[in-house]
């Protein structure tokens, strides 16, 4: 079975029986393909009597969301698996465990997260997760700091950069985040009611300059091993626990790309609440929680990052230079704002949207949410190079909302 082909559920069952000490030899196994993402097959296998379960994720050699006309390298499965193992090593409670893998079949066998909910879905339902900011702040601080030049020696760092070269996935990001939204492209999709907004994105020179500078960072700043696609669909939650999955876009890039991903997805949900919570005061309360949580994500990340700087940046005497840490953190904050803005814009007019906004049934409310998300996204990009404090996030969001006639 080792030659690559997309597996059938029957083949998957055969494969997982070989994992030592997991299922008993007499177990009745049920296997369902449950993948609802853009790129891969995901199989859920369960022992029907004990309930014990496991996940098998297999990469397809093309983008499932588009079809075989968009080929993708299967090496991304190896990259995803190695990134998962690395993230699990650094944050064992925040990442599922990898049990086994087969690089030829482009598959990873890992811990099942039944009992968890996809964060995006939970946020749409109006749930809140008080522990989330602390968990994700710690995940990002540890994975980003400890894989950067601040913590690694020069040879180890370059070896890591080379094993996480991920060209096909990076090209998807370049095209879908930094290119398509700002030009006419067959990849784009949005309803005709916001054609004026799409047209404005294509003609806004000030915005284009900022996006060009952010794209340059994405292409050239190999600061750390990123998750690369850290949206709320890649995060599983319960009241007390958070697990980060799906790092198939992992590569060495600018740290703010991950931080911005988390913030942007909370703010996309904030905009989407226009269409989800009818009662005004309940909606405002949820939106305030989302804004406060976006700021708390940064605060928790910054706190943990600074702690690591004090305890771990020992290999680099220059890391203690006066002012360096402040400069580094401020630049990281600015990058996070800029990438957050780019990620909001692409989810409204680009190829791949978010259900937080896309599945709002009332077209009028959906359009209001889209316009609010675009206003916040554009303001984040345009303000990114001058931002000095996370407090400015509140001002950006409230000002953009007021300009669109939305009270927050
Ligand atoms: C063709 S893949 C589209 C998007 O799905 C992934 O989650 C990434 O965000 C990518 O940009
Ligand atoms: Mg994904």
């Amino acid at each position: 079975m080792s030659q690559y082909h997309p597996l059938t559920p029957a083949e998957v069952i055969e494969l997982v029986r070989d994992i030592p000490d997991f299922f008993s030899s007499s177990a009745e196994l049920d296997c369902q393909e449950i993948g609802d993402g853009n790129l891969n097959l995901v199989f859920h296998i369960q022992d029907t009597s004990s309930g014990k379960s496991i996940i098998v994720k297999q990469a397809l050699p093309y983008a499932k969301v588009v079809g075989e006309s968009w080929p993708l390298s299967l090496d991304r499965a190896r990259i995803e698996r190695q990134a998962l193992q690395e993230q699990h090593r650094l944050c064992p409670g925040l990442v599922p465990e990898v049990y086994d893998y087969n690089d030829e079949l482009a598959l990873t066998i890992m811990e099942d997260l039944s009992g968890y909910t996809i964060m995006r879905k939970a946020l749409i339902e109006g749930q809140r997760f008080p522990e989330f900011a602390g968990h994700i702040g710690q995940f990002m601080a540890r994975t980003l700091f400890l894989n950067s030049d601040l913590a690694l020696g020069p040879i180890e760092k370059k070896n890591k950069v080379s094993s996480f070269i991920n060209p096909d996935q990076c090209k998807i990001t370049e095209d879908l985040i930094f290119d398509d939204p700002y030009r006419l492209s067959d990849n784009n999709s949005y309803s005709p009611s916001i054609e004026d907004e799409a047209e404005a994105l294509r003609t806004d020179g000030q915005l284009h300059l900022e996006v060009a500078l952010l794209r340059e960072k994405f292409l050239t700043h190999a600061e750390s091993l990123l998750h690369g696609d850290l949206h709320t669909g890649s995060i599983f939650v319960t009241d007390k626990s958070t697990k980060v999955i799906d790092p198939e876009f992992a590569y060495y890039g600018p740290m703010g790309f991950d931080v911005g991903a988390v913030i942007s997805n909370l703010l996309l949900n904030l905009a989407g609440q226009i269409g989800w919570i009818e009662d005004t005061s309940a909606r405002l309360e949820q939106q305030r929680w989302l804004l406060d949580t976006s700021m708390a994500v940064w605060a928790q990340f910054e706190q943990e990052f600074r702690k690591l700087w004090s305890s771990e940046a020992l290999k680099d005497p220059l890391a203690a230079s006066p002012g360096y840490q402040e400069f580094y953190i401020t630049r990281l904050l600015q990058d996070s704002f800029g990438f957050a803005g780019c990620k909001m814009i692409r989810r409204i007019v680009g190829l791949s949207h978010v259900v937080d906004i896309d599945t709002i049934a009332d077209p009028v409310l959906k359009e209001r949410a889209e316009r609010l998300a675009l206003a916040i996204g554009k303001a984040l990009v345009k303000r990114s190079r001058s931002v000095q404090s996370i407090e400015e996030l509140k001002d950006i969001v409230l000002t953009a909302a007021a300009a669109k006639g939305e009270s927050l």
Side-chain angles (χ1 to χ4, degrees), residues 90-91 94 130-148 150 223-227 230 244 253-263 266 292-311 325-337 339 389-390 393:
L90 296 172
C91 305
L94 298 171
E131 307 288 336
F132 172 71
H135 289 160
I136 204 72
Q138 184 173 102
F139 171 84
M140 293 190 297
R142 290 187 63 74
T143 58
L144 296 175
F145 186 95
L146 295 169
N147 276 304
S148 76
L150 294 165
E223 280 178 350
S224 190
L225 177 60
L226 307 189
H227 177 285
L230 194 45
V244 178
M255 301 181 188
F257 193 75
D258 275 359
V259 184
V262 175
I263 291 174
L266 293 169
D292 288 348
T293 302
S294 308
M295 294 163 70
V297 165
W298 169 266
Q300 296 285 332
F301 165 76
E302 180 186 353
Q303 191 184 35
E304 189 65 26
F305 196 90
R306 285 186 190 275
K307 259 198 239 162
L308 288 164
W309 193 301
S310 310
S311 63
Q325 189 182 128
E326 290 314 309
F327 180 91
Y328 200 107
I329 299 266
T330 303
R331 187 181 59 194
L332 222 167
L333 178 74
Q334 294 175 345
D335 292 354
S336 303
F337 273 50
F339 289 125
S389 150
I390 187 62
L393 187 65

Side-chain angles (χ1 to χ4, degrees), residues 134-396:
H135 289 160
I136 204 72
Q138 184 173 102
F139 171 84
M140 293 190 297
R142 290 187 63 74
T143 58
L144 296 175
F145 186 95
L146 295 169
N147 276 304
S148 76
D149 287 292
L150 294 165
L152 299 177
I155 303 297
E156 197 185 355
K157 160 80 188 309
K158 269 79 170 178
N159 285 338
K160 280 195 150 172
V161 172
S162 82
S163 59
F164 286 101
I165 297 283
N166 200 351
D168 287 0
Q169 303 310 101
C170 285
K171 181 173 182 329
I172 289 178
T173 302
E174 284 171 54
D175 290 348
L176 302 193
I177 298 186
F178 298 111
D179 185 359
D180 293 334
Y182 307 99
R183 67 183 182 101
L184 288 170
S185 163
D186 290 343
N187 287 333
N188 289 338
S189 89
Y190 50 84
S191 78
S193 64
I194 59 162
E195 181 57 52
D196 59 321
E197 297 275 8
E199 164 75 16
L201 290 173
R202 294 195 289 269
T203 54
D204 186 336
Q206 190 201 346
L207 185 68
H208 293 183
L209 168 62
E210 300 305 325
V211 173
L213 292 170
L214 288 157
R215 182 184 61 178
E216 183 186 309
K217 286 200 170 176
F218 177 82
L219 297 175
T220 62
H221 285 214
E223 280 178 350
S224 190
L225 177 60
L226 307 189
H227 177 285
D229 196 24
L230 194 45
H231 56 78
T232 45
S234 298
I235 300 171
F236 276 67
V237 279
T238 66
D239 281 353
K240 299 206 163 41
S241 174
T242 303
K243 300 269 186 185
V244 178
I245 62 163
D246 272 5
E248 71 191 298
F249 285 77
Y251 88 112
Y252 260 81
M255 301 181 188
F257 193 75
D258 275 359
V259 184
V262 175
I263 291 174
S264 66
N265 278 271
L266 293 169
L267 296 179
L268 282 162
N269 187 270
L270 175 152
Q273 289 304 336
I274 289 174
W276 294 111
I277 305 182
E278 220 173 301
D279 177 73
T280 308
S281 72
R283 173 172 57 74
L284 287 176
E285 221 183 279
Q286 184 67 6
Q287 287 174 316
R288 282 186 201 126
W289 179 80
L290 288 158
L291 182 52
D292 288 348
T293 302
S294 308
M295 294 163 70
V297 165
W298 169 266
Q300 296 285 332
F301 165 76
E302 180 186 353
Q303 191 184 35
E304 189 65 26
F305 196 90
R306 285 186 190 275
K307 259 198 239 162
L308 288 164
W309 193 301
S310 310
S311 63
E312 303 287 334
L314 308 173
K315 291 181 185 142
D316 178 7
L318 282 180
S321 312
Y324 182 38
Q325 189 182 128
E326 290 314 309
F327 180 91
Y328 200 107
I329 299 266
T330 303
R331 187 181 59 194
L332 222 167
L333 178 74
Q334 294 175 345
D335 292 354
S336 303
F337 273 50
F339 289 125
C342 293
K343 281 163 178 272
M344 292 188 77
I345 293 168
R346 63 78 62 115
R347 293 293 186 191
I348 304 301
V349 298
L351 171 79
S352 174
H353 292 199
V354 289
V355 287
D356 316 46
I357 292 179
D358 248 29
T359 58
I360 296 173
D362 180 331
V364 175
L365 297 181
K366 182 174 172 218
E367 184 182 327
R368 275 175 53 195
E370 290 171 332
R371 289 182 186 276
L372 175 58
L374 285 174
I376 297 170
K378 286 193 285 186
L380 283 168
V381 172
K382 287 183 177 177
R383 285 269 293 271
S384 62
R385 276 194 293 153
S386 61
V387 158
Q388 297 295 316
S389 150
I390 187 62
E391 292 303 314
E392 291 176 59
L393 187 65
K394 189 179 266 175
D395 176 53
I396 288 173

Side-chain angles (χ1 to χ4, degrees), residues 61-72 168 171 186-187 351:
Y62 54 86
K64 193 167 83 177
V65 66
V66 177
E68 297 189 26
S69 62
W70 190 332
L72 290 178
D168 287 0
K171 181 173 182 329
D186 290 343
N187 287 333
L351 171 79

